[in-house]
Amino acid sequence: MRTQVAIIGGGPAGLLLGQLLLKQGIETVVLERRSREYVLARIRAGVLETGLTELAAEAGVAARMQAEGLVHDGTLLAYDDRSFRVDFETLTDKTVLVYGQTELTKDLYDARDAAGGTTFFNCEDVTLHDIETEHPSVTFTHDGQSKTILCDVIAGCDGFHGPSRQAIPENKRREYEKTYPFGWLGILSRTPPVDEELIYANSSRGFALCSMRGTELSRYYIQCPLSDSPDDWEDARFWDELKRRLPEEAADHLVTGPSIDKSIAPLRSFVCEPMQYGRLFLCGDAAHIVPPTGAKGLNTAAGDVSYLYRALMQFYSDGDTHGLETYSQIALQRVWKTQRFSWWMTNLLHRFPEQSEFDLRMQRAELAYLETSEAARRNLAVSYVGLPY
Ligand code: RFL
Ligand code: PHB
């Protein structure tokens, strides 16, 4: 089998790239390790930058997002039993859209089906070959049969654990990593959100985040030890702990109910340099991970997709390889800026095991500075709504 761009990974990065290329008449094949049902059952990101919503519109998949997504023009930060607002619209002229990654992924699969794009689910043993040549290929097993895809370019969109990054020889890549000594326990519940805006809370008991997926669907997170398992957290215990971490006024308004999803995610900062090797180009979590505190993972993946898409258009329209050659360098500039923001937000809002009294005062001083300085709030808002591509 032959295609122009072989895309490994049918998550949001791979599917968005596939849809953008398909619209330009560039052929793609998507290889996904899991079943479609499995991919669509994963609950992940919820906050989309304008850059991503514009890219989705360019890919022709923004209709439902525009109809059902919730426009947020600010967010709340809480500490010391009070909260203050960061007004994105006044500070940056921009807003963000609250729309689940799961819904976006569904929209992308529906669009791919409608356009007749080829997708293989349940692929096993996906292996990359000859990536340093102009004729790379991918082999895999599907329905017990070995298959080969010959292509011009491979887009490695297979997340943190996929094979693409590992296909770059070890002596040709450098990895930068920081792991955090805690995780996020997240739940989804069919209850109205506690506030119409997100609340990021720094509390002496640890971080908490109130988010949502709709007017009757809430998403809440609390910082928890990495040794905990979701089974340790019965719903009643979760709600009790969440309330204790929120300002009293919010806690009093919290509507609780049965959880419909509960999971723990570890927090990590990670970057692989370079993001390309020969004809292999990494996008999204395959190349970098951020802790979710700044809501940047999916959005940074979209930034990569935007750069790679434009480079591929150049390549296929007139054989110009400049965009492909500079992809890694350009993408990494934005990647490190979002790493910085996510790391800073994480440090600002969490409790760390080895924090001294002085460290805690610094955290509080930083929050007080944000509360009282418009310049400081603008600094936060500019990164939160999304740096330009
Ligand atoms: P994905 O979504 O991991 O998709 C990769 C796909 O590749 C497949 N795959 C393979 N396919 C073929 N062969 C193999 N050998 C393969 N190995 C893996 C996988 O099955 C999968 O389908 O990566 P992608 O597309 O780069 O997308 C990245 C985002 O998913 C991720 O960055 C975000 O979810 C991060 N994130 C958030 N990002 C935001 O921008 N805003 C948020 O509000 C936000 N909240 C979050 C988050 C991530 C979280 N977790 C669970 C880590 C909240 C949480 C709790
Ligand atoms: C979410 O709704 O899942 C969410 C929102 C904001 C974040 C992280 C996750 O910073």
Side-chain angles (χ1 to χ4, degrees):
M1 186 175 198
R2 213 204 113 72
T3 192
Q4 289 175 298
V5 181
I7 300 178
I8 308 181
L15 293 171
L16 183 57
L17 179 67
Q19 210 49 36
L20 287 161
L21 294 177
L22 228 138
K23 282 219 122 190
Q24 298 297 326
I26 299 170
E27 275 176 41
T28 64
V29 172
V30 171
L31 305 179
E32 168 55 49
R33 184 164 77 107
R34 304 286 191 176
S35 68
R36 184 179 180 130
E37 296 67 38
Y38 183 97
V39 173
L40 291 177
R42 288 193 297 227
I43 315 278
R44 288 196 175 170
V47 177
L48 314 186
E49 296 172 358
T50 315
L52 169 47
T53 56
E54 285 173 359
L55 205 56
E58 205 169 329
V61 294
R64 195 161 71 97
M65 168 189 293
Q66 275 154 4
E68 296 177 18
L70 306 170
V71 175
H72 279 221
D73 56 12
T75 192
L76 297 170
L77 261 60
Y79 73 113
D80 282 358
D81 202 39
R82 63 177 190 275
S83 63
F84 64 93
R85 185 160 187 269
V86 180
D87 187 322
F88 304 145
E89 197 156 33
T90 313
L91 294 165
T92 69
D93 256 349
K94 287 192 188 156
T95 57
V96 292
L97 193 71
V98 172
Y99 187 70
Q101 175 174 328
T102 316
E103 301 307 313
L104 169 61
T105 309
K106 182 173 182 308
D107 297 343
L108 284 162
Y109 272 125
D110 290 348
R112 190 165 179 85
D113 287 349
T118 309
T119 310
F120 289 95
F121 291 97
N122 302 307
C123 296
E124 291 171 54
D125 307 322
V126 172
T127 311
L128 298 81
H129 306 272
D130 303 324
I131 53 175
E132 65 287 350
T133 74
E134 288 181 7
H135 305 287
S137 63
V138 184
T139 55
F140 62 105
T141 308
H142 187 254
D143 272 349
Q145 285 189 319
S146 300
K147 292 198 170 2
T148 302
I149 298 184
L150 307 172
C151 55
D152 306 323
V153 164
I154 301 175
C157 306
D158 44 0
F160 184 65
H161 301 285
S164 295
R165 186 178 66 253
Q166 311 296 340
I168 304 179
E170 239 175 288
N171 62 350
K172 301 285 183 195
R173 68 182 138 97
R174 178 138 188 219
E175 299 183 345
Y176 301 84
E177 182 168 28
K178 180 179 175 66
T179 54
Y180 297 83
F182 43 75
W184 276 20
L185 167 65
I187 73 154
L188 190 68
S189 72
R190 264 187 234 297
T191 51
V194 64
D195 194 283
E196 58 186 30
E197 296 195 323
L198 268 61
I199 306 176
Y200 288 87
N202 172 316
S203 122
S204 59
R205 299 181 66 89
F207 171 75
L209 169 61
C210 305
S211 183
M212 65 197 72
R213 290 291 179 274
T215 50
E216 294 302 320
L217 197 55
S218 296
R219 178 81 168 145
Y220 295 109
Y221 298 97
I222 56 173
Q223 173 187 353
C224 71
L226 278 171
S227 51
D228 280 10
S229 115
D231 297 338
D232 299 330
W233 288 88
E234 298 217 330
D235 288 355
R237 181 176 172 213
F238 179 89
W239 292 120
D240 182 53
E241 186 59 38
L242 177 64
K243 279 186 186 173
R244 288 170 180 232
R245 296 185 188 194
L246 299 179
E248 205 177 320
E249 210 205 317
D252 289 346
H253 281 97
L254 184 73
V255 181
T256 64
S259 64
I260 50 178
D261 186 85
K262 197 183 281 161
S263 61
I264 294 181
L267 267 66
R268 183 195 309 272
S269 299
F270 174 87
V271 180
C272 169
E273 286 189 349
M275 289 171 59
Q276 77 188 87
Y277 182 72
R279 285 289 178 94
L280 165 67
F281 299 85
L282 303 178
C283 282
D285 281 14
H288 41 72
I289 298 284
V290 286
T293 327
K296 288 287 160 251
L298 174 62
N299 290 304
T300 312
D304 299 346
V305 166
S306 166
Y307 297 129
L308 184 56
Y309 159 58
R310 292 186 208 290
L312 285 167
M313 275 207 297
Q314 225 178 24
F315 175 63
Y316 282 113
S317 63
D318 50 19
D320 184 350
T321 55
H322 179 74
L324 290 179
E325 280 156 22
T326 53
Y327 166 73
S328 175
Q329 191 197 329
I330 304 262
L332 280 167
Q333 286 175 19
R334 193 172 187 279
V335 163
W336 279 113
K337 289 177 191 162
T338 57
Q339 285 287 340
R340 183 207 66 84
F341 178 66
S342 306
W343 163 85
W344 175 77
M345 283 283 279
T346 304
N347 284 316
L348 177 72
L349 295 168
H350 291 76
R351 279 288 180 275
F352 289 75
E354 69 284 5
Q355 249 168 344
S356 66
E357 284 301 314
F358 182 84
D359 294 335
L360 290 171
R361 286 290 170 154
M362 285 298 101
Q363 224 181 33
R364 199 210 267 170
E366 182 108 38
L367 283 157
Y369 180 48
L370 281 163
E371 185 176 11
T372 53
S373 159
E374 188 180 286
R377 286 196 301 282
R378 179 172 292 113
N379 187 18
L380 187 158
V382 164
S383 280
Y384 196 93
V385 299
L387 297 170
Y389 290 166

